[in-house]
Each structure stands twice: as structure tokens, then as C-alpha cells.
Amino acid sequence: MVHKPQRHETMKYGGIKLYAGRSCPDLAQKIAKYLEIPLQGREVFTFPNDNIFVKLNSSVRGQDCYVIQTSTLPVHTNLMELLIMIQTLRLDSAARITAVVPYLCYSRSDKKDQPRVPITARLVADMIEVAGADRYMTLDLHAGQIQGFFSIPGDVLTTFHLLIDYAKTFINNLVDPVVASADLGFAKKARNFAEELNVPLAFVEKRRVTSNSGESQTLSLIGDTNNRDVILVDDEISTGGSIEQAVNIIKECGARDVYVIFVHPVLSLDAAQRMAALPVKQFITTDTIPIPPKKLAHFGDRIKIISVAGLLGEVIIRANEGRSVGEMFNE
Ligand code: R5P
């Protein structure tokens, strides 16, 4: 899917200047490697009072600037750092600024689903724009409608092809495989997975039940996992509660080996430890969020991390040259 194009002779916005915050240094380096350009020098540090300082080492006047910053833990530091970097570039007269945010925080706060609650994903979109971004780029948004919270153009990309390509490398070794969606919200994407892999689909349904003793969750399985190898898919693992429950129910329903594919490894609290304790043969995820070595160690060799660097690098090249991104996906 990803291929290196010929560089065009004329570029509307000047050369690409790649900047990175402190949230995902390895991914940023890989993107720079794909683009065959260095990450630009900048100083970023936090004062003792927790305020963040940013200074660019060289001018960006008239340049096409990309700031790579994933908004994971510590969420507010990383988000604020992104906003400050964007404003720094704006004040130094960059021609165009793109916020490259592989994982967008607050994506689960996308609607007023109970009285007196905010829509924080909208607030985050507003802040990115107000800071001075002209465009944004992100991967597998929790809900597609978040695109409507931005009034600047964006490339909302998917890791679907990368994950499917990997799944295709082992699908033929599985026994009567079935794809199961760990969350009904992911059902449509799970259906695409199942179709691409040419296997049936099952759903884990979560339902909140309120009783006098409080709120609890009941689960049911729609579909057949009995005596089958199961590929469980979801967009993110945060606390791991959803996957833990899903693995338990599909195991109770007779599943053989379980594989878990998820896009964003948020892995908050002790999720890594809890996930590693599950009867899962392999976890497959991406590097939209770096997994700290201590958390990674829990998984041993049972985790496969697929890099999104080539995908983001290719889209950056195309954005700079004003070329179609859709054609990468045959759209
Ligand atoms: C839910 O809407 C999502 O698809 C995931 O199932 C959820 O974000 C995972 O969160 P946790 O790991 O905390 O259960």
C-alpha cells in the first residue's frame, strides 16, 4: 500500500519541517527516517512550576511544518506541549502547520450522553485550531463524527490495512477463525476485518444495568466462538476492562486460541499486567502510543507492534506536494 513517490518539482508551501514533542520520540524518528529528513532542533522543557518552554533552533518562515505529538499519558502535559509548539511555529511565520496527533485524547467524550456533561473532544479540536494549526492528521478516531468538531481540514487515517495485512500472515494457521468485536461501537470496523479475512463475525455486547445496589455490566455474545480460534478487535485498550470481559465471555463460550488486535495501546493503570495475565495467544497493536518498557515487559514475546510511521510519512509527503491521500487506499 505505502510506496515512495517521486518528489514533485514545485511545492506550494516550501519544504517539510518536521518537529516532535516529547510524547513519542521513537515514532517521530521513524517518520523522519521514512521522509529521509532530520527532525528539526528545538528546546522543550518543563519549568519547576510545571509550565512548558519551547524554542525553535531555526527559522520556519514560509515552511510547511508538521508537529508530531500523540496525546497520551500524561495527557494534559502532552496536549499543552502540542498547543505551545503550534503557537511557536505560528508566531515564527510558518506557512502552514499540521498537527500530527496519532492518538487524539478525549475522543471518548464526543457527545452529551447524559445531562450536564461536556463534549471535551470538541474543546480539544477548538484548542488545536486556536493555537494556530491549519490542518490535522490523526489515526482511527474513536468516533468518525469528531471530524466535524474541526473546521480546519484533516486527514483522518486508519491503520486497518496494516493490521489486516498482519492478520493475513497467520489466518490460514487458525482453526475455524472468527472475528469478534469487543465493543458494539467498533462493530462496523470489525465487520470490515471479518470481510477482508473472509471469516464470520461475532459481537460482544456490553449492557449497563442499574439496580438498587448500583450499576454493573452484563455481557452477552452474539455469534459462535465454540471450538474456534478468535480474533478479538477493538480501537483501544485503556484500563483493559472491556477486553478482559470480552476474553472471559468468549472463552466461556468455548473459544480456542484468542488473538487481540487493537489500534491504540493506551494501557492505563495496571492494564498491561492484567492483559498479560489473560489467556491470549498474541496481542497485536500499533505505535500510535509508545508503550513504556516496564509495561511492555509484561507481554514478553506475546505482543506485536506494527509501526504507523510509513503511513504517516507517506501522508505527510502527499500533503506537502498537494497529492491525493485517498489513492493510497484505492479510493
Ligand atoms: C469503547 O467504546 C472502546 O471501543 C473500548 O472498548 C474502550 O475504550 C476500552 O476501554 P477500557 O480498556 O478501559 O475498557
Side-chain angles (χ1 to χ4, degrees):
M1 176 199 55
V2 172
H3 69 280
K4 292 213 171 179
Q6 298 291 309
R7 301 285 291 162
H8 283 192
E9 294 288 312
T10 52
M11 288 176 293
K12 196 172 165 194
Y13 294 103
I16 297 173
K17 293 268 183 180
L18 211 55
Y19 284 90
R22 293 175 291 181
S23 62
C24 52
D26 292 349
L27 176 62
Q29 278 298 349
K30 283 184 186 162
I31 296 173
K33 195 169 171 209
Y34 182 89
L35 294 170
E36 296 174 355
I37 58 172
L39 283 171
Q40 295 300 307
R42 88 294 188 258
E43 255 182 87
V44 185
F45 63 82
T46 307
F47 287 109
N49 65 359
D50 226 19
N51 290 191
I52 296 169
F53 176 82
V54 171
K55 184 176 193 300
L56 311 179
N57 290 358
S58 54
S59 165
V60 292
R61 189 178 295 275
Q63 301 297 300
D64 190 17
C65 299
Y66 296 80
V67 187
I68 303 162
Q69 178 82 324
T70 202
S71 49
T72 184
L73 303 162
V75 172
H76 302 115
T77 301
N78 287 331
L79 179 61
M80 197 63 205
E81 191 170 289
L82 169 70
L83 301 174
I84 295 172
M85 289 189 78
I86 292 171
Q87 198 215 30
T88 312
L89 293 164
R90 174 57 66 223
L91 295 179
D92 198 47
S93 306
R96 186 172 70 161
I97 302 162
T98 302
V100 181
V101 190
Y103 173 73
L104 189 68
C105 60
Y106 286 104
S107 287
R108 285 161 73 178
S109 174
D110 62 347
K111 56 186 160 309
K112 237 166 119 39
D113 52 2
Q114 46 180 306
R116 302 177 297 282
V117 296
I119 303 176
T120 316
R122 168 64 200 257
L123 178 63
V124 170
D126 284 347
M127 289 194 295
I128 291 173
E129 285 187 42
V130 168
D134 299 291
R135 305 179 71 259
Y136 69 99
M137 214 177 265
T138 190
L139 287 157
D140 288 300
L141 275 179
H142 179 66
Q145 63 267 24
I146 293 169
Q147 293 169 53
F149 298 167
F150 288 90
S151 50
I152 52 175
D155 292 304
V156 178
L157 309 164
T158 178
T159 55
F160 179 77
H161 307 82
L162 302 173
L163 297 171
I164 284 287
D165 284 351
Y166 182 74
K168 282 182 178 166
T169 63
F170 65 84
I171 192 81
N172 290 334
N173 305 329
L174 303 189
V175 176
D176 288 334
V178 55
V179 166
S181 179
D183 184 273
L184 278 186
F186 200 67
K188 203 170 154 200
K189 285 188 177 163
R191 182 179 299 285
N192 295 340
F193 263 88
E195 271 172 15
E196 278 289 323
L197 296 173
N198 203 16
V199 302
L201 181 63
F203 304 96
V204 175
E205 189 213 15
K206 290 186 275 193
R207 208 175 318 149
R208 295 208 180 274
V209 180
T210 312
S211 66
N212 290 344
S213 56
E215 197 180 67
S216 67
Q217 220 170 48
T218 61
L219 291 182
S220 53
L221 181 74
I222 305 165
D224 179 19
T225 58
N226 193 29
N227 275 324
R228 289 170 173 274
D229 288 338
V230 179
I231 301 177
L232 193 57
V233 291
D234 207 348
D235 59 345
E236 68 175 56
I237 294 184
S238 178
T239 63
S242 308
I243 288 292
E244 192 169 55
Q245 291 177 326
V247 169
N248 289 340
I249 193 165
I250 59 179
K251 275 290 186 186
E252 279 164 25
C253 293
R256 291 166 49 95
D257 290 342
V258 179
Y259 296 77
V260 175
I261 298 186
F262 61 108
V263 179
H264 303 296
V266 179
L267 298 176
S268 49
L269 304 172
D270 61 349
Q273 208 170 339
R274 284 171 61 204
M275 293 303 94
L278 291 175
V280 169
K281 190 140 190 199
Q282 194 181 30
F283 292 88
I284 298 138
T285 188
T286 75
D287 57 357
T288 57
I289 295 172
I291 307 177
K294 264 191 176 170
K295 292 189 178 182
L296 198 55
H298 288 293
F299 293 97
D301 59 2
R302 284 193 298 142
I303 191 162
K304 167 80 184 169
I305 300 171
I306 296 169
S307 184
V308 296
L311 173 60
L312 288 173
E314 180 68 21
V315 175
I316 289 171
I317 290 175
R318 286 168 182 263
N320 176 252
E321 296 178 347
R323 295 166 56 216
S324 165
V325 169
E327 71 183 16
M328 287 168 65
F329 309 100
N330 299 324
E331 285 166 358

